[in-house]
Amino acid sequence: MKKHSHIPSASLLRLFLLSFFVPLLGTLFSLQTAFAQDASFPNRPIKLVVPLAPGGATDTVARIYAKQLSSKLNTPVVVENRVGAGGMIALDSMSKAPADGYTIFVGNLSTNALNETVFAEKIKRKPSEYLTGITTLAIIPHIFVASAQLGINSIPELINYAKRNPDAINHASPGVGTYSMLDMLNFEKAAGLKMTHVPYNGGAGQYIVPMVSNEVQIAFINASSVIEMIRAQKLRALAVTTEKRLPELPNTPTMGEVGFPGVGTNAWQAIFVPVGTPKATIDKLFNASIDALNTEELKEAFKKQLINPAYSKSPEDFNRFVQQEVNRWAAILSNLNVKAE
């Protein structure tokens, strides 16, 4: 008769316990390690990736915010400008960044809402697939500005000049599909004009000098980037995009006052981290950011640049807002038939 091997019941019990508890212990160890990492965050410098060149609003917001965030987290926060392709170069770098909270993207309406539609046929992954939002940082009013050398003092004067001189007006923007470009296309459509678009992919800071020298004549530019040039009378403020006149420019009418209500954007700036960043890290960054935005030093620095601090109720609330912006601007792009070249 063939003998059957026999495993004592005590051995069976040990095998059962090992098969059950070893994976459980591994899971608990992983959770404990993750918790320890979250609890120690941050323990080294944090990098803020800015997708536009120095001198523009995004860079200005990032540098003022970085100083206060560094103080709140008690760690260095370093700004790194990665310029080009309407923000897509910086976004591509973020798609490869580790999800640990040490690389933060300072995005805006163009990079994190418009680009999903503008570059839909060119990008492999949408920004929302690999970035998750933490909070807004600021809302910035825009000004419809003209080169002082153009000799135009109002929107009606500009319209009359442009109609008498077809193709004489060049308008600048940070690139194809950016809200500055779309706002000007909406203005063209409403005013019955045809002008030439000149893109500067490094952001508003790249075309202020050409505008002062009258190489390009007009643009919608954030107030923080141009207020000093307006005060120096190098640029002329023709209208503001806010509902009411800016206290700093009491003699400059709103777009609504000159017959173009709804044309022009008050753009937001915000921070994002890679998808998969631990919730505890996101919460710590969110809370530290709120504290930073509430400091008197930041408020004063923003005020000098005509920047309004603004923060979200929660990271979840902010991500819902971003998706709404993606949908809203997709409809605008479709109506204007704008696509990346």
Side-chain angles (χ1 to χ4, degrees), residues 150 152 156-166 168-169 217:
L150 184 62
I152 297 295
E157 282 185 38
L158 173 68
I159 293 171
N160 290 333
Y161 178 85
K163 286 183 175 179
R164 291 196 314 268
N165 301 276
I169 301 293
Q217 288 70 45

Side-chain angles (χ1 to χ4, degrees), residues 86 88 91 108-120 123 127 175-183 265 267-268 322 325-334 336 338 340:
M88 294 308 298
L91 282 167
N108 56 42
L109 169 57
S110 287
T111 58
N112 291 81
L114 281 165
N115 280 1
E116 295 230 347
T117 301
V118 174
F119 295 101
I123 57 177
V176 174
T178 58
Y179 58 85
S180 298
M181 174 198 175
L182 298 177
D183 287 341
T265 301
W268 47 266
V322 173
E325 287 286 88
V326 170
N327 297 338
R328 182 170 74 90
W329 283 92
I332 294 172
L333 283 158
S334 177
L336 292 172
V338 175

Side-chain angles (χ1 to χ4, degrees), residues 193-208:
L193 302 177
K194 183 62 178 177
M195 300 180 289
T196 301
H197 175 230
V198 182
Y200 290 80
N201 288 326
Q206 300 295 292
Y207 53 87
I208 291 174

Side-chain angles (χ1 to χ4, degrees), residues 238-249:
L238 304 184
V240 296
T241 61
T242 47
E243 291 184 7
K244 297 180 180 179
R245 296 189 181 195
L246 294 176
E248 295 82 2
L249 297 170

Side-chain angles (χ1 to χ4, degrees), residues 57-58 61 105-114 133 135-142 179 222 265-272 307-308 310 312 318-319 321-326 328-329:
T58 304
V61 167
F105 184 76
V106 185
N108 56 42
L109 169 57
S110 287
T111 58
N112 291 81
L114 281 165
T135 178
T136 52
L137 298 178
I139 304 293
I140 307 177
H142 276 56
Y179 58 85
N222 64 81
T265 301
N266 300 310
W268 47 266
Q269 310 285 331
I271 52 171
F272 300 79
I307 299 170
N308 301 312
S312 308
F318 174 57
N319 281 297
F321 166 75
V322 173
Q323 188 55 54
Q324 290 169 359
E325 287 286 88
V326 170
R328 182 170 74 90
W329 283 92

Side-chain angles (χ1 to χ4, degrees), residues 29-333:
F29 178 76
S30 298
L31 289 173
Q32 185 179 26
T33 302
F35 178 78
Q37 290 173 341
D38 293 344
S40 67
F41 176 85
N43 55 25
R44 56 189 170 87
I46 291 172
K47 179 169 64 178
L48 287 187
V49 176
V50 177
L52 298 166
T58 304
D59 181 75
T60 299
V61 167
R63 292 180 187 279
I64 295 172
Y65 162 73
K67 181 179 179 181
Q68 299 305 317
L69 183 66
S70 175
S71 175
K72 297 302 177 184
L73 291 176
N74 195 31
T75 197
V77 178
V78 182
V79 174
E80 178 183 292
N81 298 85
R82 295 182 67 86
V83 182
M88 294 308 298
I89 289 177
L91 282 167
D92 182 64
S93 74
M94 289 302 301
S95 72
K96 304 177 182 72
D100 56 11
Y102 289 97
T103 307
I104 301 174
F105 184 76
V106 185
N108 56 42
L109 169 57
S110 287
T111 58
N112 291 81
L114 281 165
N115 280 1
E116 295 230 347
T117 301
V118 174
F119 295 101
E121 297 179 3
K122 293 194 171 188
I123 57 177
K124 295 179 180 179
R125 299 172 66 198
K126 295 178 180 180
S128 60
E129 293 176 358
Y130 56 85
L131 290 179
T132 184
I134 294 179
T135 178
T136 52
L137 298 178
I139 304 293
I140 307 177
H142 276 56
I143 304 175
F144 192 131
V145 293
S147 173
Q149 292 189 32
L150 184 62
I152 297 295
N153 297 301
S154 68
I155 295 291
E157 282 185 38
L158 173 68
I159 293 171
N160 290 333
Y161 178 85
K163 286 183 175 179
R164 291 196 314 268
N165 301 276
D167 301 320
I169 301 293
N170 297 324
H171 66 92
S173 85
V176 174
T178 58
Y179 58 85
S180 298
M181 174 198 175
L182 298 177
D183 287 341
M184 195 60 75
L185 293 184
N186 275 326
F187 171 72
E188 275 188 317
K189 192 173 183 180
L193 302 177
K194 183 62 178 177
M195 300 180 289
T196 301
H197 175 230
V198 182
Y200 290 80
N201 288 326
Q206 300 295 292
Y207 53 87
I208 291 174
V209 172
M211 181 167 287
V212 168
S213 64
N214 204 33
E215 292 176 38
V216 287
Q217 288 70 45
I218 61 172
F220 279 101
I221 308 182
N222 64 81
S224 65
S225 295
V226 294
I227 188 62
E228 294 304 324
M229 286 297 180
I230 291 170
R231 288 168 176 159
Q233 299 185 3
K234 301 290 186 181
L235 296 176
R236 200 73 42 81
L238 304 184
V240 296
T241 61
T242 47
E243 291 184 7
K244 297 180 180 179
R245 296 189 181 195
L246 294 176
E248 295 82 2
L249 297 170
N251 297 321
T252 302
T254 67
M255 289 297 291
E257 286 180 291
V258 295
F260 298 92
V263 175
T265 301
N266 300 310
W268 47 266
Q269 310 285 331
I271 52 171
F272 300 79
V273 291
V275 168
T277 299
K279 186 177 184 305
T281 299
I282 288 176
D283 289 343
K284 185 172 282 190
L285 287 171
F286 175 79
N287 292 326
S289 295
I290 304 309
D291 290 342
L293 292 168
N294 278 313
T295 60
E296 290 303 318
E297 187 176 350
L298 179 141
K299 290 179 181 178
E300 188 61 30
F302 272 16
K303 185 178 180 181
K304 289 179 181 178
Q305 299 293 327
L306 302 189
I307 299 170
N308 301 312
Y311 50 85
S312 308
K313 293 179 181 178
S314 67
E316 294 78 15
D317 187 69
F318 174 57
N319 281 297
R320 284 191 292 269
F321 166 75
V322 173
Q323 188 55 54
Q324 290 169 359
E325 287 286 88
V326 170
N327 297 338
R328 182 170 74 90
W329 283 92
I332 294 172
L333 283 158

